[in-house]
Structure formats: C-alpha cells, structure tokens
C-alpha cells in the first residue's frame, strides 16, 4: 500500500462518511428528506436542503471519504485487491447517490461512454433508480411520447413552452426500479426520493446535458429568483443525442422498469435480487440486491467492489475478523477481496449496488 494511506488493513467492510453532500447551488431543487429523515440518527452539522448525497464516489469533484481515514479512491488505488475485476482500471466505476427532489429536476440526457465528443476527462453515465419514497402523484418523466418530433421539442424550448408535456410521465411508488440508458431524455419529478447507482469511468466526470429547466431563473446562490439567470442549457447537444426512434411507450417503460414493492421490514431476513443480467429487471451494467427484515443471513462473496446503503433499521456485517454496524443513512464499501459476510438485520431495509 502507498504511504499516503498508511499501513492499515482496509480489507474489511469500510464505513463511509455520511455527509458527502453537493452544494445547494448545484441542486436548487433539493429537499430535506436526506438530512432530516434518512440521516436523522447520524451526527451531522446543521444545514439546509440537500439534493444529493454521494454515498460512494471516486469522482474528482465529490469523492467519498472513509469515516476513519482517507478518500475511498486513495484506498482503492493503494490496494488493487479491493477492486477485484476492476483492478486493471485502478479504481471503481461505481457511483452511488441519494437524490431528493423537492422540485422537478431539469429535463436532461446522458451520452454513451464511446461518444466521440466527450473530452478526455469526461465519461458517459448510465444509471438506475430505486424509489425510496414518493409523494402522492409523484413520478418520473421518461422519454418523449410517440410522434413527438425534434422540431416540436425545439419549438417548446425556444418559445419557453412546456417540454414536460411532450414526455411520458410515470407515477412511482416505493420499491420501483428503472434503468436510464444513454440517449434517453429524463427528469426526476418533484416529491421523489431515490437511490441512484451510476457507472462513471474512474478519474472522470459523468456528463449530463440539459434540454430544459422549467423556464426557471436563479440568483447567484442557486435560489429561485424571477429576475435571476437561467441555468446553463445544452440544447443542440441534447437534441443530437436523443434517440428519436425510441419513443417511450408503455411497452418500453415496462421493459425498463420493475415494481418490487415496499421493502418487507417487518418480516424475516431476506435477500432479493432486483437488477441483474437475468432479471427481474435485466441489465448488463448493474447488479442490485435488497436486504430487508429481521434475522441473520449470508451475503456471498463478489469479485467487485459493492456499496451497501441502509435506508431503515440496522445492519451488522461480520467478515470473521471485524464487525461493522450501520444505521439508517449510512453506507459501507464492501471490498471485492472479502469472503462471504455474516449479516444481521434489525427491522432493516438496505440496498446493495455493484457493477455487473
């Protein structure tokens, strides 16, 4: 291991700091459920709304830091055994966020990893959404409806019309999952709280292009202000990336989603696969599991770094040498070199994310 991270043994479940929040000026749509609900039992400094908590991240702008040490990226680069199959990349491509939308997010799109216009320090950003909570009537905007043309979207943007009216709106409930691939226009609607695994190449920044931001203006602090300035849009780039042949009809939405239902926290300990190459929601990018209930179970070893985020109750991990107990709002990085883990759940709801 490098001198920078010291001679400690990091080959164990690693507790990450719970306060890797992005500034409110970056997420003016942010709410209070991350700080006041999910992380109410975690020792945090007082503060205002939080739009995003980057639970597991090696991205340069908002890297995760271990609760008792250096950044996660420093530790992973010092000991490739922690990475398993990702060791040749030097670090992990897994990025996991909590997102709380008190207002609608901008309508946006992500490029593919091999997009020729990406700069050397930029990456595509395929992502998945796991719905934690949703206000009545809340939902997502996924793709443009059948028959919507590029010209219609251009006109709506240029005339400050309602771009969202051209999109498919999908009501959501806790336990719903969605896959968001490159070329898919999307926006998280107000009232939605979700967990979001993404794939972003190590050392690079995942790129988002905005079509439209609800004709809103902001002051220098990122607050809504009628006399302020709009956020930067990327109209032509977003339109060029749009898959105009892939209208988001009901059948396509069904293929890209899975309704797993609320986590059974009152039942016996259970481990459920939500996203994998075989289903129930099929993806060659992500592998997502859900822990729920009370009791003991075994978590099999994996050849990739994983995140485990506790959304309710308590989860205790035992690798045979160390024990780590996590409460609601805390995330652990599980190194690839670990064997199977003994897991004890106490009225728990947790989600495990890794790359496929």
């Amino acid at each position: 291991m490098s001198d920078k991270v010291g001679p400690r043994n990091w080959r164990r479940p690693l507790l990450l700091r719970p306060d890797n929040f992005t500034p409110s000026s970056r997420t003016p749509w942010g709410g209070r459920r991350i700080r006041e609900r999910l992380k109410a039992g975690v020792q945090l400094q007082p503060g205002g709304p939080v739009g995003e908590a980057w639970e597991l991240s090696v991205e340069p702008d908002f890297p995760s830091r271990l609760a008792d040490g250096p950044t996660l990226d420093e530790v992973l680069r010092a000991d490739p055994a922690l990475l398993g199959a990702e060791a040749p990349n030097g670090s992990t491509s897994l990025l996991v966020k909590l997102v709380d939308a008190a207002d609608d997010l901008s309508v946006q799109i992500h490029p593919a990893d091999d997009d020729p216009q990406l700069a050397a320090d930029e990456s595509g950003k395929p992502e998945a959404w796991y719905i934690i909570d949703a206000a009545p009537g809340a939902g997502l905007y996924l793709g443009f409806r059948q028959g919507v043309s590029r010209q219609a979207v251009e006109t709506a943007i240029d005339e400050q019309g309602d771009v969202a009216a051209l999109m498919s709106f999908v009501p959501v409930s806790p336990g719903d999952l969605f896959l968001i691939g490159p070329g898919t226009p999307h926006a998280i609607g107000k009232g939605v709280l979700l967990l979001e695994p993404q794939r972003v190449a190590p050392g690079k920044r995942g790129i988002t292009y905005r079509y439209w931001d609800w004709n809103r203006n902001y002051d220098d602090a990122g607050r809504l202000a009628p006399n302020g300035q709009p956020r930067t849009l990327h109209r032509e780039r977003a339109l060029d990336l749009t898959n105009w042949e892939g209208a988001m009809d009901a059948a396509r939405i069904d293929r890209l989603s899975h309704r797993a239902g609320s986590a059974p926290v009152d039942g016996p300990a259970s481990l459920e696969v939500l996203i994998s190459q075989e289903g129930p929601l099929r993806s060659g990018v992500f592998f997502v599991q859900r822990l729920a209930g009370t009791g003991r179970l075994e978590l099999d070893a994996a050849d990739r770094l994983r995140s485990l985020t506790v959304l309710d109750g308590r989860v205790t991990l035992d690798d045979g040498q160390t024990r780590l107990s996590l409460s609601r709002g805390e995330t652990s990085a599980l190194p690839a070199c670990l064997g199977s883990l003994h897991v004890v759940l106490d009225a728990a709801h947790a989600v495990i994310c890794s790359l496929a």
Side-chain angles (χ1 to χ4, degrees), residues 196-227:
E196 180 181 65
Q198 301 179 332
R199 187 184 68 194
V200 177
K204 299 186 179 184
R205 294 170 174 83
I207 296 302
T208 296
Y209 298 112
R210 300 189 195 101
Y211 300 82
W212 182 70
D213 192 35
W214 304 83
N215 303 318
R216 296 179 293 209
N217 293 327
Y218 305 91
D219 63 18
D220 292 340
R223 297 170 299 209
L224 285 172
N227 297 323

Side-chain angles (χ1 to χ4, degrees), residues 15-346:
L15 179 63
L16 301 173
R17 284 185 51 152
D19 58 352
N20 193 19
F21 303 150
T22 57
S24 58
S25 58
R26 179 186 170 101
T27 57
W29 38 262
R32 296 184 175 275
R33 286 176 293 183
I34 291 176
R35 182 189 293 275
E36 298 178 2
R37 172 183 160 181
L38 286 181
K39 298 179 183 284
V42 180
Q43 297 299 317
L44 296 176
Q45 295 295 322
V50 173
E52 294 181 340
W54 292 35
E55 294 295 294
L56 186 147
S57 168
V58 300
E59 204 183 53
D61 289 339
F62 301 102
S64 295
R65 184 171 292 276
L66 273 63
D68 60 350
T71 67
L72 177 63
D73 190 51
E74 290 169 344
V75 170
L76 296 177
R77 292 186 181 278
D79 188 356
L82 306 179
L83 289 162
E86 289 192 277
N89 300 328
S91 193
T92 185
S93 296
L94 180 65
L95 172 60
V96 180
K97 302 178 185 179
L98 292 167
V99 179
D100 181 18
D103 201 354
D104 299 300
L105 274 66
S106 61
V107 177
Q108 54 193 242
I109 195 169
H110 304 306
D113 293 336
D114 60 354
D115 189 290
Q117 294 194 43
L118 289 177
D121 64 344
E122 296 177 342
S123 170
K125 191 166 61 171
E127 57 195 33
W129 294 338
Y130 173 77
I131 307 301
I132 302 168
D133 189 31
L140 311 170
Y141 298 89
L142 292 180
F144 294 119
R145 292 185 283 103
Q146 188 73 40
V148 172
S149 66
R150 175 172 178 149
Q151 182 60 55
V153 178
E154 289 178 335
T155 299
I157 295 171
D158 294 343
E159 296 182 357
Q160 294 195 316
D162 184 1
V163 173
L166 304 176
M167 304 184 73
S168 295
F169 180 76
V170 183
V172 298
S173 300
D176 291 350
L177 295 111
F178 298 85
L179 294 173
I180 310 298
T184 301
H186 60 274
I188 300 171
K190 61 183 176 183
V192 174
L193 174 67
L194 56 80
L195 183 75
E196 180 181 65
Q198 301 179 332
R199 187 184 68 194
V200 177
K204 299 186 179 184
R205 294 170 174 83
I207 296 302
T208 296
Y209 298 112
R210 300 189 195 101
Y211 300 82
W212 182 70
D213 192 35
W214 304 83
N215 303 318
R216 296 179 293 209
N217 293 327
Y218 305 91
D219 63 18
D220 292 340
R223 297 170 299 209
L224 285 172
N227 297 323
Q229 296 295 317
R231 300 175 80 189
T232 301
L233 301 180
H234 317 93
R235 174 184 179 277
E236 289 304 311
R237 188 79 173 101
L239 291 166
D240 287 345
L241 286 172
T242 305
N243 178 10
W244 296 102
E245 302 303 317
M248 196 64 74
D249 56 17
R252 186 158 180 241
I253 291 171
D254 186 61
R255 290 195 300 272
L256 297 176
S257 62
H258 171 58
R259 312 283 182 165
S262 297
V265 295
D266 296 331
S270 64
L271 176 61
E272 178 184 7
V273 174
L274 301 177
I275 302 177
S276 72
Q277 293 184 2
E278 292 79 27
L281 182 54
R282 297 189 176 185
S283 170
V285 177
F286 301 110
F287 183 63
V288 177
Q289 299 168 287
R290 182 167 69 180
L291 295 166
T294 298
R296 298 174 180 268
L297 50 78
E298 293 287 316
L299 181 62
D300 291 340
D303 193 29
R304 289 187 180 272
L305 183 80
R306 292 172 287 179
S307 70
L308 187 155
T309 301
V310 180
L311 303 175
D312 208 352
R314 180 170 291 273
V315 176
T316 301
L317 306 172
D318 186 342
D319 66 356
Q321 296 181 335
T322 61
R323 289 170 61 89
L324 176 64
S325 186
L326 300 101
S327 60
R328 182 170 56 192
E330 292 184 313
T331 292
S332 173
L334 306 180
C337 55
L338 297 177
S340 62
L341 290 172
H342 303 288
V343 182
V344 178
L345 308 181
D346 183 5

